């Protein structure tokens, strides 16, 4: 079955762009600085600025970014609406989707931002967390799989998994999830595209490890 790995990077609006009532709602339980730093974590106050995809069977990938210039190898510039339209058009032929933390973040974010732009999804992502309880299309969320759907109580991040399994982590002290928004505001679009590409790369490598050492036999059988 055709398998697609994908990952998104997001950035929040500027605090000054929010109306007074939105600011009040966001600071009801926290301070302004914390609320401002978290704007990129919600599709209601942020947007998709980069999206990376990788076809596991064809060994081909692409990164879309919402700023910069076309012509850089393996990345395309799109407005957010166009990026989402391309994503939904491209995923029609896939049966298995692989993410890290996508059930809680990437998929809800993409669905909400698609609705904002009135872009209709072409696939239905179901809510079953374990692949053993899913039907096609399957969503392998590696965060859920490696954490045993939350039973693994220690901190679990893409960076920690990469380091533990001898893989190259995409995170650096300068560029990581928490600093993506700042890179976007500084118009460092090539850096963001590369970062997204590396997140997809390590997710793909972890998926290979999961398939070999963790995946249930019932799921392996459907891939044959």
């Amino acid at each position: 079955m055709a398998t697609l790995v994908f990952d998104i990077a997001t950035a929040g609006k500027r605090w000054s762009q929010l109306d007074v009532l939105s600011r009040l709602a966001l600071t009801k339980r926290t301070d302004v600085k914390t609320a401002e730093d978290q704007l990129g974590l919600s599709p209601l106050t942020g947007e998709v600025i980069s999206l990376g995809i990788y076809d596991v069977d064809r060994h081909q990938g692409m990164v879309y970014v919402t700023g910069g210039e076309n012509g850089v190898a393996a990345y395309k510039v799109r407005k957010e609406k166009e990026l989402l339209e391309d994503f939904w058009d491209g995923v029609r032929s896939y049966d298995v989707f692989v993410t890290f933390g996508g059930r809680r973040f990437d998929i809800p974010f993409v669905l909400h931002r698609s609705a904002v732009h009135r872009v209709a999804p072409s696939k239905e992502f179901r809510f079953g967390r374990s692949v053993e309880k899913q039907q096609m299309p399957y969503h392998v969320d590696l965060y859920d799989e490696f954490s045993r759907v939350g039973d693994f109580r220690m901190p679990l991040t893409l960076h920690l998994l990469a380091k533990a399994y001898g893989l190259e982590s995409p995170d650096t002290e300068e560029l990581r999830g928490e600093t993506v928004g700042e890179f976007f505001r500084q118009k460092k679009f090539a850096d963001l595209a590369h970062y997204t590409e590396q997140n997809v790369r390590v997710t793909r490598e972890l998926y290979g490890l999961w398939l070999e050492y963790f995946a249930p036999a019932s799921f392996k059988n459907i891939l044959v």
Side-chain angles (χ1 to χ4, degrees):
M1 291 191 292
T3 301
L4 187 76
V5 179
F6 74 92
D7 181 70
I8 65 172
T10 66
K13 297 178 181 179
R14 293 188 180 276
W15 189 253
S16 59
Q17 293 178 281
L18 302 176
D19 64 274
V20 173
L21 293 180
S22 294
R23 294 184 200 178
L24 287 173
L26 292 167
T27 54
K28 192 171 183 179
R29 293 183 175 85
T30 190
D31 58 87
V32 173
K33 177 64 168 61
T34 302
E36 188 173 3
D37 289 344
Q38 294 177 346
L39 292 178
L41 300 179
S42 169
L44 308 182
T45 56
E47 62 181 329
V48 180
I49 60 170
S50 180
L51 185 148
I53 57 174
Y54 186 86
D55 185 307
V56 172
D57 306 295
R58 296 178 181 175
H59 307 289
Q60 295 177 341
M62 177 59 64
V63 176
Y64 299 90
V65 294
T66 60
E69 297 182 0
N70 279 309
V72 177
Y75 100 72
K76 295 182 178 180
V77 178
R78 295 286 189 271
K79 293 181 180 178
E80 187 187 31
K81 181 179 180 181
E82 297 169 335
L83 177 155
L84 293 166
E85 288 173 335
D86 283 357
F87 173 74
W88 288 118
D89 185 55
V91 303
R92 296 177 188 274
S93 59
Y94 289 92
D95 309 303
V96 180
F97 297 91
V98 182
T99 67
F100 185 85
R103 194 174 314 283
R104 296 173 180 80
F105 185 71
D106 301 66
I107 290 174
F109 207 107
V110 167
L111 286 171
H112 276 286
R113 295 307 299 173
S114 296
V116 166
H117 292 293
R118 305 301 190 264
V119 177
S122 64
K123 285 284 184 177
E124 178 182 353
F125 287 94
R126 308 178 194 278
F127 295 100
R129 293 179 67 179
S130 170
V131 293
E132 295 172 289
K133 299 179 180 179
Q134 295 179 25
Q135 295 178 338
M136 197 180 302
Y138 294 88
H139 174 207
V140 181
D141 185 334
L142 292 175
Y143 177 87
D144 283 340
E145 294 300 328
F146 279 108
S147 70
R148 305 293 296 178
V149 195
D151 287 342
F152 187 81
R153 297 299 181 182
M154 300 301 291
L156 187 69
T157 66
L158 199 65
H159 176 79
L160 286 171
L161 280 170
K163 289 296 186 181
Y165 287 114
L167 306 175
E168 183 180 353
S169 171
D171 289 351
T172 65
E173 292 185 14
E174 294 77 24
L175 181 52
R176 56 192 189 280
E178 296 85 350
T179 62
V180 161
E182 186 57 35
F183 269 68
F184 180 69
R185 286 186 284 274
Q186 294 177 12
K187 302 185 184 301
K188 296 181 178 180
F189 302 116
D191 290 330
L192 290 172
H194 180 70
Y195 178 68
T196 304
E197 179 186 13
Q198 293 308 303
N199 270 280
V200 171
R201 185 260 311 157
V202 75
T203 301
R204 170 177 53 83
E205 291 172 342
L206 287 169
Y207 174 65
L209 286 169
W210 176 81
L211 269 181
E212 185 170 357
Y213 299 106
F214 295 91
S218 58
F219 181 77
K220 290 181 180 181
N221 290 338
I222 68 167
L223 297 178
V224 177

